[in-house]
Amino acid sequence: MPVASETAQTLDRGLRLLHLVADSPAGLTMTEAATRLGVGRAVVYRLAATLTEHGMIRRDRAGRLRLGAGVLHLARRAQPLVADAALPALRRLAESVGATAHLTIADGGEAYALAVVEPSWTQFHVAYRTGSRHPLASGAAGKAILAGRQGDYTAVTTTGELQQGAHGVAAAVPGVEGLEASVGVVALTELDPSAVPPEVVGAATAIAKALS
């Protein structure tokens, strides 16, 4: 086998191992990783050793493979890029609807507000801080992400789940590999059920294109 092909295969296996570990909150044993990759334990040991050197994975006290701090560093570097790409669509959405618009990503079992844009022309609007967190199962933003995992990119509407009297509409961002996110708006008054959901879905689609 040519050296280039061997290198590509090793890289592919390393990335697949990294994804497997990322998708395993309880960690993976070497045997489990080898079985899922369809390779021998010796191959997994070599891949794990290289990824550990770069801080991408680590072994806990029980010997299970878990994500390392290097992944968090990459995520922190990537988040501003994602937020910047989303801001134009969020601004248009906030101004059009007259409500606070946000891009929310999944972070473990929580929804994390990565970018927030408030409308400029309304007298009152919801103050929704960048960095806010809440369970994925509560609120329109988190529920839209969960719906996106099932392939459902239609708008989700909620009332009063995170803040009494607040109304939210959100839709999952479609088709961006490795990104679980939603776009939504939140307001203190009821949002037009015929006009707002299509605009939210349109903004989610626009952000997906900006990130493609």
Side-chain angles (χ1 to χ4, degrees):
M1 181 183 294
V3 174
S5 296
E6 292 178 356
T7 302
Q9 183 183 60
T10 300
L11 177 60
D12 177 71
R13 286 174 172 172
L15 292 173
R16 287 168 57 202
L17 176 59
L18 187 59
H19 280 284
L20 284 176
V21 174
D23 291 336
S24 304
L28 281 178
T29 66
M30 291 290 185
T31 299
E32 289 170 340
T35 299
R36 296 189 189 184
L37 286 175
V39 299
R41 283 167 54 91
V43 174
V44 174
Y45 273 104
R46 289 196 296 271
L47 295 173
T50 300
L51 290 170
T52 299
E53 287 179 6
H54 291 276
M56 296 293 105
I57 63 174
R58 61 182 176 84
R59 294 185 69 180
D60 64 18
R61 293 180 179 179
R64 300 180 73 85
L65 300 175
R66 296 180 180 272
L67 288 181
V71 173
L72 299 177
H73 173 71
L74 290 177
R76 284 194 293 269
R77 296 292 297 271
Q79 285 181 1
L81 300 177
V82 174
D84 287 346
L87 284 176
L90 291 179
R91 288 194 185 97
R92 290 193 298 270
L93 180 62
E95 295 299 325
S96 175
V97 175
T100 301
H102 53 84
L103 174 69
T104 300
I105 63 173
D107 185 14
E110 294 184 315
Y112 173 80
L114 185 61
V116 177
V117 176
E118 298 177 355
S120 63
W121 56 271
T122 56
Q123 187 173 3
F124 300 103
H125 55 260
V126 174
Y128 189 48
R129 296 191 308 274
T130 300
S132 297
R133 292 176 178 271
H134 61 81
L136 282 174
S138 300
K143 288 184 173 181
I145 291 173
L146 294 177
R149 290 178 178 176
Q150 305 301 317
D152 182 0
Y153 299 101
T154 58
V156 174
T157 300
T158 60
T159 300
E161 292 195 4
L162 298 178
Q163 180 179 332
Q164 186 175 3
H167 302 264
V169 178
V173 176
V176 180
E177 186 68 28
L179 179 69
E180 289 189 315
S182 68
V183 173
V185 290
V186 58
L188 294 172
T189 58
E190 187 172 356
L191 295 162
D192 187 335
S194 62
V196 174
E199 292 207 45
V200 169
V201 171
T205 301
I207 289 174
K209 291 180 180 178
L211 293 172
S212 299

